[in-house]
Amino acid sequence: MTTLETEEATVSLAMLRQAREVIVVADSSKIGHVSPALICPISAIHVLVTDAGISAEVLHALKERGIKVVVA
């Protein structure tokens, strides 16, 4: 999970370190794009909520990593 803003990444990482579960909400157009500031690796994500635009291939790959994907 990445962002354009370093400060945002720092704050988000601090929150993630306190969380029992990491839930990411991102529209499908953001998936696969990498921005300069790392928030956390994909291995830290428990649940991804996204839209129906997510490809079947990416959906399968995320589920293979143990990430629950909710398509809304």
Side-chain angles (χ1 to χ4, degrees), residues 41-59:
I42 195 166
S43 60
I45 299 170
H46 298 103
V47 180
L48 170 66
V49 180
T50 191
D51 61 80
I54 188 170
S55 74
E57 180 181 310
V58 171
L59 180 63

Side-chain angles (χ1 to χ4, degrees), residues 23-54:
I23 301 171
V24 174
V25 179
D27 71 62
S28 61
S29 70
K30 303 290 185 193
I31 298 170
H33 294 275
V34 180
S35 294
L38 176 68
I39 296 172
C40 72
I42 195 166
S43 60
I45 299 170
H46 298 103
V47 180
L48 170 66
V49 180
T50 191
D51 61 80
I54 188 170

Side-chain angles (χ1 to χ4, degrees), residues 1-10 34-40:
M1 190 165 60
T2 61
T3 184
L4 292 172
E5 303 295 328
T6 304
E7 296 82 11
E8 181 183 342
T10 302
V34 180
S35 294
L38 176 68
I39 296 172
C40 72

